[in-house]
Amino acid sequence: MTRAKIAGIGYYVPEKVVTNQDLEKVMDTTDEWIQERTGITQRRYGNKYEETTATMGARAAEKAIERAGITKEDVDFIIFATLSPDYYFPGCGVLMQRELGITKTEIGALDIRNQCSGFIYGLSVADQFVRTGMYKNVLLVGAETHSYGLDFSTRGRNVTVIFGDGAGAVVLQPTESDQEGILTTNMHSDGTYAEKLAYINPGCHGGYHFEHNLNEEVDFGYPDVEYGGLFLTQHMMDHAQTFPNMEGQFVFKMAVQKFPEAIHEALQTAGLEKEDIDMFIPHQANLRISQFVQRQLGLKDEQVWNNIQRYGNTTAASIPIALSEAVEEGAVKEGDLVCLAAFGSGFTWGAALLRW
Ligand code: COA
């Protein structure tokens, strides 16, 4: 039976380190508050004019491609997951294709918008394409440049302190061996709480969800004209409606419920037990969430890869960065059962099990 395996993996984080103390200088926050609530001590931020979500994705992709022992021209499908794309459209998939210098047009480039679950969703899509024999070298990238769009005033502190920039990439190839590869993936979604963790404006919602779904009156300052003017208004900018918002405690409660559910489902599908897991690589949402899930699974500290302390939450990039680091540092060895899981905006969540 053909399975997909990760044949090459790499990551890239920008050089600029921003510590909690740096953030103390621009907003009312403290290193103590941030560390206690999230475990984060520092994060990386991209350099404007030099780094974007697509270019960082390309840097990570180059490493993954090289380690897979292929060339850029061998890539036959691109999947790019991000919530902080360079442009509203076109997506980062084609921008990264250009950045990589891939001129071949026989390949497709698919953009995935599943926020923190983006990498798991991408892995699941790639897995299906490889299993069916459709593609032989799928390049899957998760990348984010949060720092360009966050609110650095005290108003935005609950969100801003959490997020960081970076990229991770994998190349997926077919394998006939039953000793390696992706064993199972699952994906879940529930739109009920879409706005609990969301970046709403600018957007083409026209106020609909606030009028019809939310029992909430929000003034977006729409102009009194027949056509247009709804995507981005001066009012939105003046009233700080153009930043991500998050109901932290609600998100936390959902996350600690959905992470374990997705993992148990994956284990059950694969006919395995939680004791079989050698390494757990959670989406780096918050150290406290990862520790909670670790306890639920009964895993030792050395069986969980946490790097949120150094990079913050890099959303779609966090799993491939963490997996890449764990592999580079020898914490994931051949034959290990690796469990990946994510939860985030949407809400969307999911898990994957793979034999390294
Ligand atoms: N620095 C200092 N104080 C801050 C702060 C910051 N960066 N952010 C918020 N606060 C303040 C709040 O204003 C509030 O003050 P008040 O009591 O005077 O009103 C107080 O801290 C508590 O705020 P609250 O939002 O209830 O804090 P919390 O204990 O829930 O922690 C999070 C906030 C965001 C760390 C926490 O809810 C969390 O981690 N949630 C999950 C988020 C997550 O994982 N998101 C990604 C999902 S993929």
Side-chain angles (χ1 to χ4, degrees):
M1 188 186 69
T2 305
R3 275 191 189 147
K5 67 164 184 182
I6 294 179
I9 183 163
Y11 75 97
Y12 174 87
V13 287
E15 265 180 32
K16 196 199 293 177
V17 174
V18 176
T19 63
N20 293 345
Q21 288 78 9
D22 291 327
L23 293 181
E24 283 177 3
K25 291 177 198 145
V26 294
M27 62 179 73
D28 183 10
T29 190
T30 61
D31 175 47
E32 193 192 356
W33 192 98
I34 301 171
Q35 285 209 44
E36 191 185 305
R37 303 294 216 284
T38 70
I40 299 166
T41 62
Q42 61 182 53
R43 70 287 291 144
R44 305 292 181 99
Y45 284 173
N47 270 317
K48 62 174 181 276
Y49 301 120
E50 286 173 21
E51 287 164 319
T52 75
T53 299
T55 69
M56 289 196 289
R59 300 294 85 79
E62 283 161 350
K63 289 185 195 156
I65 288 169
E66 192 191 327
R67 288 172 185 168
I70 60 167
T71 70
K72 293 171 195 173
E73 294 302 320
D74 294 322
V75 170
D76 48 18
F77 195 64
I78 292 170
I79 304 177
F80 201 113
T82 186
L83 68 66
S84 50
D86 296 20
Y87 300 149
Y88 194 74
F89 75 85
C92 279
V94 293
L95 297 180
M96 183 186 70
Q97 179 189 12
R98 179 174 68 186
E99 179 73 17
L100 286 170
I102 299 177
T103 51
K104 188 167 93 175
T105 56
E106 290 80 9
I107 66 171
L110 176 73
D111 291 280
I112 295 219
R113 297 192 42 165
N114 286 89
Q115 298 65 252
C116 300
S117 316
F119 186 79
I120 298 281
Y121 268 64
L123 196 68
S124 193
V125 171
D127 185 35
Q128 313 311 315
F129 278 134
V130 173
R131 273 176 196 262
T132 56
M134 178 99 176
Y135 296 123
K136 302 256 175 302
N137 289 299
V138 178
L139 172 60
L140 165 63
V141 175
E144 306 287 355
T145 320
H146 290 300
S147 65
Y148 294 176
L150 295 169
D151 180 357
F152 283 90
S153 73
T154 295
R155 194 180 42 212
R157 64 185 178 175
N158 67 320
V159 176
T160 300
V161 300
I162 293 178
F163 293 96
D165 303 344
V170 295
V171 170
L172 291 137
Q173 290 178 349
T175 175
E176 300 305 324
S177 164
D178 58 4
Q179 303 301 315
E180 61 176 0
I182 298 171
L183 308 182
T184 183
T185 61
N186 63 57
M187 296 179 282
H188 293 274
S189 64
D190 179 358
T192 314
Y193 308 110
E195 287 77 14
K196 299 276 187 199
L197 175 51
Y199 203 153
I200 289 161
N201 300 313
C204 293
H205 54 79
Y208 173 86
H209 305 289
F210 297 84
E211 289 287 318
H212 298 275
N213 295 335
L214 297 175
N215 269 339
E216 226 176 271
E217 270 185 36
V218 182
D219 178 9
F220 293 112
Y222 288 142
D224 188 19
V225 294
E226 195 171 0
Y227 304 118
L230 308 183
F231 182 68
L232 176 64
T233 65
Q234 190 60 47
H235 180 100
M236 288 173 186
M237 289 192 281
D238 293 344
H239 293 81
Q241 293 170 331
T242 55
F243 295 111
N245 63 276
M246 175 176 76
E247 274 187 39
Q249 293 196 9
F250 190 82
V251 173
F252 196 102
K253 279 184 203 140
M254 292 295 284
V256 294
Q257 185 188 333
K258 298 303 178 189
F259 264 101
E261 275 179 24
I263 294 165
H264 286 299
E265 180 188 329
L267 287 166
Q268 202 175 16
T269 308
L272 294 163
E273 306 290 334
K274 59 184 181 357
E275 290 73 25
D276 296 319
I277 296 173
D278 295 300
M279 177 57 75
F280 173 45
I281 313 246
H283 158 55
Q284 308 286 305
N286 178 322
L287 188 61
R288 308 296 161 229
I289 293 175
S290 299
Q291 287 167 335
F292 182 94
V293 181
Q294 174 184 345
R295 282 196 296 277
Q296 286 234 327
L297 294 172
L299 296 173
K300 300 189 200 94
D301 287 350
E302 58 271 25
Q303 290 178 290
V304 184
W305 197 263
N306 291 306
N307 62 12
I308 189 168
Q309 300 92 327
R310 289 174 283 123
Y311 300 132
N313 177 340
T314 56
T315 309
S318 89
I319 291 179
I321 293 175
L323 179 59
S324 190
E325 266 195 356
V327 171
E328 281 174 25
E329 296 190 21
V332 173
K333 295 173 290 301
E334 202 177 309
D336 278 356
L337 182 69
V338 180
C339 175
L340 315 176
F343 173 87
S345 161
F347 293 122
T348 62
W349 63 99
L353 283 174
L354 44 106
R355 185 72 67 189
W356 195 255

